[in-house]
Structure formats: structure tokens, C-alpha cells
Amino acid sequence: MSDRPSLDRLHELRRAQDEELAAQDLDGARRRFLEIAGGGSSRPGAARLGPPRPRWIAPAALVALAGVCAALLLVLLPPPPSLSFAVGSAQGQVGAWIAASAEAPLAVAFSDGTSLALDAGARARVVAADAHGARVLLEGGRLTATVTHTATSAWSFDVGPFDVLVTGTRFELSWSPASEELTLVLREGSVAVSGPLVGGRRAVAAGETLSVFCKEQRFELTRGELRAAAPPAPSATRIDQPASEPAPAATGASERAGVVKAANAAPRRPSWRNLVASDRYQEAMTAAEAEGFDGLVARASAADLLTLADVARFSGKPDRAAAALTAARSRFAGSCEAAKAAFHLGRMAFDQRRSYAEAERWFLVYLEEQPGGSFAREALGRVIECRESMGSAGEAREAARRYLARYPAGPHAAHARDLLEGE
């Protein structure tokens, strides 16, 4: 008698298994099940299902079947959801700006337990988020981060021209765009920082502080707490009295006249530059307007024009910022500051107006003028984002190839690889 079809063989296997399980003879069930699967029969007169086969074939087939099922589950099950986050009591949105008021800090809480605390006046943006972490851009100010650690954690922080990669850790991070100074105080865990001066993937361990001073072209990596700046010594002399002569004690009418004169004297207002040095951008903008913003733009140095643009941007006056950046482009053409102005014009077009074609043009101008500049990596990554947003898939892949060739471990590298995966 010829072999029965495979379907009949499977029916017989199922019947044998059900009968033996019903009798609670698990060992016998297993033995008979393997006999049938191997070509024998547990029932008298049952036809053989084929020539005898080695007994190891059935267990191996079961293992293979289990592997196939596991692979199907991976394909059919939906991917884990991306992290969500809340900004204060409101739902956060990827790409939206997050700004703490000048009077109070602001909390950002992620669904995996990670939390950020932005100091008063700090500004940030969640650039991207997936199931494993997020990429956060710190525009300016200071934040404290507590990142929840898992086996697949993937978090990064973009700070000016720097990239901070973390898994699970606690640290404080600050960036001053005016002075171009970065400070990272690591409390727990470890991070890797890449960017100008520090090079690629410089490790920072718990208890260490990294300070980078871009304008001075130096950095410091120290152990322990940062030393607080000593307060200025109080003056022991009057401003109208030579230091070598003691001031006579005022008495009677002369004392009262001095008090009235002091009360009527108008306090000297701090300049916009001094206010910027303290990260008091709203007040700095008010002071610049009082001095005459247009006049400042007409006579300011290239560096001051970039600072004025930051003051205007952080104060919510993009038109004023664009005027300062455009002046830097026209008055100081060919300079490093003019190239930086192009980068900032591109970032404003991308982030504030969603004008991706204009943003791409400015980022490409920066890359042409400063191909090895401190913002080159971010500019090329933004070119990828611009082209994707405009639906130019082929050009986005071309930019992705350029990015991976130059920055294989950069913050846009994973996204660039995803774009090229199907090629």
C-alpha cells in the first residue's frame, strides 16, 4: 500500500497524542508520538507512513517549527511604541520648542521614567523619539537629566556643536550660545562627548565635570564639584574720594543732603552685553531696543551681531534676529561669523517656519563656506531632514551617504542608515 497524503499523517499524529494525553500517560504519549512521527504505528493494522526514519528527525523538526513561529511573531507583532512625554502638565510634541519661563523651572517627563528639569530661562527641543530613547536639543540654558537605563537605551543630547551620548545616567548640562561655553557635571553613570576640541567620543565618568570654552579654544576635565566664583570684594572707598584718603564722616545737614542726593540719583542700567552674560535675554533685548536695535546692527562687530541675533531669537523676535544675521552676512561676507549666520538662518527657517527649501539652502551655504566648521555635522544632518520633509527621497539618501561617510557615529547616523537600508 502506498504512503498516505501528508494531511492523513498529521491527523493520525493528532489522534495518537489526544488518546495518550487523555489516559494521562505522558511518557507513553511521547513514545508513541515519536514512533508515529518516525514512520511506525501505535495501532494494530495501521499502515506505515513511510520508510523508517531516525528518531532525531521529529525533535529537530519541532525545534525548527518553534523557530519559524518565533520569527513569524517578530514579523507580525507591531513594533513597540515610541516614547511619549509631558511638558509640565501638557502633552509634549516631537519637534516643538520647550522653553522654561524666566521665573520658574520646567519639568519634562518621559513614559520610560526618564525626566528632564529645565532651569528657568532654558530652551530645548525633543528632536526625535523612538521606543529606546530620544534625541534632545539644548538650545541654551541648563537642564538636569535623569535617564532610565534599559538594555536597549539610546539617548543623545545635542548642545551647540557637541553631541552627548548616554544610556542610563544622571547629569547636569548647560550651554551658553553667547559665550559658547559647555558644562557637563556627571553625577551617575557615564557618557561620551564628541565635538570641537574634545574630539570624538571623549568619555566622562561619574564625579567628573567637563567644561569647554570654544572661544578660548580649550577644555577642562576635572574631578569633583565646580568651584563657585568668589564674590567681588566690597569696596571700602567712596567713588568721589581718592583711595588714599579716608572719607570723612558725614554729620548733620551734610549727611541729610547726601542721603537725598543718593536717593535722587538714577541707578545705572546694565548694558545688553552684561545681561547676555547672565543669560537674561529678555532684559538684554529690552536694553538693546532702548539703545536702538537698528543702530546696534549697523555698527556692531560680527560677533556682536550673532549675539544680538541670539538675544532676539530667545526673546521671541525672529524678525529682529533675521535682521542681525542678514547684516552679518552682508557686512562680514566670507568670515566665519557670516557662515554661522547662514546656519542660524537655516535653523530658524526649519524650526520656526517649516520652510524646508529655504532651510536646506542656508545649511548648504554653511557647508560650502565652512565644510569643517563646528556646525558642519548638524548642518548636514539637517539637510537630510529638509529633503525628507520635502519628499525628495533620492536626494535625502544622497545626503545620508555623505553624512555616514563623514560622521559614522553622529547623531543622525542611525536615521541615515535607515534611509539607505532598502538599497
Side-chain angles (χ1 to χ4, degrees):
M1 183 175 180
S2 61
D3 285 351
R4 285 181 289 177
S6 298
L7 184 60
D8 292 341
R9 180 182 174 188
L10 290 175
H11 284 319
E12 185 166 350
L13 285 172
R14 187 185 65 183
R15 284 196 301 271
Q17 183 184 42
D18 292 344
E19 290 172 4
E20 298 299 338
L21 287 176
Q24 297 297 310
D25 183 7
L26 297 181
D27 289 337
R30 179 177 180 276
R31 183 173 61 255
R32 292 174 178 81
F33 181 84
L34 293 178
E35 286 177 356
I36 295 173
S41 175
S42 63
R43 302 175 59 187
R48 292 183 58 83
L49 301 180
R53 295 174 176 83
R55 289 182 175 272
W56 57 267
I57 291 180
L62 293 175
V63 171
L65 181 61
V68 171
C69 291
L72 286 173
L73 286 175
L74 290 176
V75 173
L76 297 177
L77 287 177
S82 297
L83 297 182
S84 60
F85 61 97
V87 179
S89 58
Q91 182 66 33
Q93 298 294 328
V94 171
W97 284 105
I98 304 169
S101 70
E103 295 77 26
L106 182 63
V108 182
F110 289 82
S111 54
D112 71 338
T114 294
S115 63
L116 308 178
L118 275 65
D119 280 13
R123 300 158 304 281
R125 180 165 64 100
V126 178
V127 177
D130 58 24
H132 309 296
R135 182 161 65 92
V136 179
L137 170 66
L138 178 61
E139 173 77 18
R142 180 175 176 272
L143 64 77
T144 299
T146 303
V147 178
T148 300
H149 175 67
T150 67
T152 58
S153 294
W155 285 81
S156 67
F157 291 76
D158 294 347
V159 192
F162 300 94
D163 178 33
V164 181
L165 296 179
V166 303
T167 51
T169 187
R170 185 167 62 90
F171 59 90
E172 288 127 39
L173 186 62
S174 64
W175 168 251
S176 172
S179 59
E180 296 185 14
E181 294 180 8
L182 167 79
T183 302
L184 170 65
V185 181
L186 197 62
R187 303 296 182 184
E188 297 175 3
S190 63
V191 303
V193 182
S194 61
L197 302 176
V198 299
R201 297 294 181 268
R202 179 172 293 275
V204 182
E208 293 182 336
T209 296
L210 175 66
S211 303
V212 186
F213 308 92
C214 295
K215 291 184 177 180
E216 300 175 22
Q217 291 293 293
R218 66 182 181 89
F219 72 92
E220 298 174 356
L221 184 60
T222 57
R223 295 285 301 178
E225 297 286 339
L226 283 174
R227 291 178 296 177
S235 174
T237 58
R238 287 171 43 174
I239 60 173
D240 59 347
Q241 189 73 20
S244 59
E245 299 180 12
T251 58
S254 61
E255 181 179 10
R256 288 193 296 273
V259 171
V260 173
K261 182 178 180 181
N264 291 335
R268 184 177 180 180
R269 293 179 179 177
S271 70
W272 68 269
R273 291 183 182 85
N274 292 337
L275 292 166
V276 168
S278 303
D279 288 337
R280 295 157 64 185
Y281 291 98
Q282 290 284 357
E283 296 173 62
M285 188 65 203
T286 301
E289 293 284 17
E291 191 173 338
F293 190 88
D294 292 334
L296 285 174
V297 167
R299 64 178 182 271
S301 67
D304 279 351
L305 284 171
L306 295 184
T307 303
L308 281 170
D310 285 339
V311 168
R313 282 194 304 124
F314 301 156
S315 302
K317 297 187 176 181
D319 291 343
R320 289 296 206 188
L325 295 172
T326 303
R329 293 286 305 164
S330 60
R331 291 181 54 209
F332 301 96
S335 67
C336 176
E337 288 80 7
K340 288 182 178 179
F343 175 82
H344 292 309
L345 285 167
R347 189 161 61 175
M348 288 174 60
F350 188 102
D351 295 330
Q352 298 176 9
R353 299 193 302 278
R354 298 293 188 264
S355 180
Y356 302 116
E358 179 188 354
E360 180 199 25
R361 179 171 62 85
W362 283 121
F363 290 137
L364 290 174
V365 167
Y366 176 85
L367 289 169
E368 181 180 354
E369 296 180 1
Q370 292 283 308
S374 56
F375 296 116
R377 184 184 64 185
E378 177 69 12
L380 187 51
R382 290 293 193 101
V383 169
I384 299 173
E385 295 180 8
C386 289
R387 292 176 175 178
E388 269 196 295
S389 299
M390 292 187 293
S392 303
E395 293 183 355
R397 287 194 293 271
E398 184 272 333
R401 281 189 288 271
R402 287 177 56 195
Y403 187 93
L404 289 174
R406 295 190 61 182
Y407 312 107
H412 285 83
H415 183 56
R417 291 190 187 92
D418 289 342
L419 286 177
L420 300 174
E421 195 174 49
E423 292 189 337

